[in-house]
């Protein structure tokens, strides 16, 4: 009886471990693009563009940044590889998910974005 309980416990712990690993692999990953743009007044905006990691086409990423700049009255400001660079990959955060599903990206405002 004790051996059967021990085996059942090991089986349950293994199943929990496998389930946890499967859930981790299903987590959406996003790419963080570190961006610094000189505003029309000469100050520098610092923001991060968060997009699904699968998007590798910089013209798409720069388009997201330009959409954001337009929303801030900064349309026409340069946004190229000089201003915007891939930084790292991380797990999608809940507060970014709706915007990414709706627009394809999320912006984290860091400095001088108001």
């Amino acid at each position: 009886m004790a051996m059967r309980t021990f085996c059942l416990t090991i089986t349950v712990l293994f199943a929990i471990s496998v389930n946890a690993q499967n859930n981790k692999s299903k987590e959406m990953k996003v790419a963080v693009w570190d961006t610094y743009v000189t505003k029309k007044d000469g100050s520098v905006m610092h923001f991060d563009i968060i997009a699904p990691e699968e998007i590798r086409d910089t013209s798409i990423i720069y388009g997201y940044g330009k959409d954001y700049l337009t929303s801030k009255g900064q349309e026409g400001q340069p946004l190229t590889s000089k201003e915007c660079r891939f930084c790292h990959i991380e797990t999608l955060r809940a507060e970014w998910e709706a915007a990414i599903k709706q627009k394809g990206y999320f912006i984290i405002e860091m400095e001088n974005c108001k």
Side-chain angles (χ1 to χ4, degrees), residues 8-99:
L8 182 60
T9 301
I10 294 299
T11 302
V12 168
L13 290 175
F14 178 74
I16 290 169
S17 175
V18 168
N19 190 39
Q21 290 298 321
N22 286 340
N23 286 340
K24 279 187 176 181
S25 66
K26 293 177 186 176
E27 292 176 342
M28 182 179 172
K29 299 292 184 183
V30 292
V32 178
W33 295 77
D34 198 26
T35 310
Y36 294 84
V37 173
T38 301
K39 293 169 57 173
K40 293 176 181 179
D41 68 5
S43 64
V44 176
M45 292 176 79
H46 175 203
F47 57 93
D48 287 344
I49 302 169
I50 311 297
E53 72 171 327
E54 298 82 27
I55 300 176
R56 309 251 177 202
D57 184 344
T58 54
S59 65
I60 293 171
I61 299 300
Y62 300 159
Y64 294 157
K66 289 177 181 181
D67 286 346
Y68 170 70
L69 289 173
T70 297
S71 76
K72 293 296 189 173
Q74 298 299 316
E75 61 282 339
Q77 296 305 98
L79 201 151
T80 66
S81 61
K82 180 180 177 191
E83 292 82 23
C84 180
R85 295 189 180 160
F86 170 77
C87 186
H88 65 277
I89 299 289
E90 69 178 72
T91 302
L92 174 68
R93 296 183 187 176
E95 61 267 25
W96 305 338
E97 191 168 7

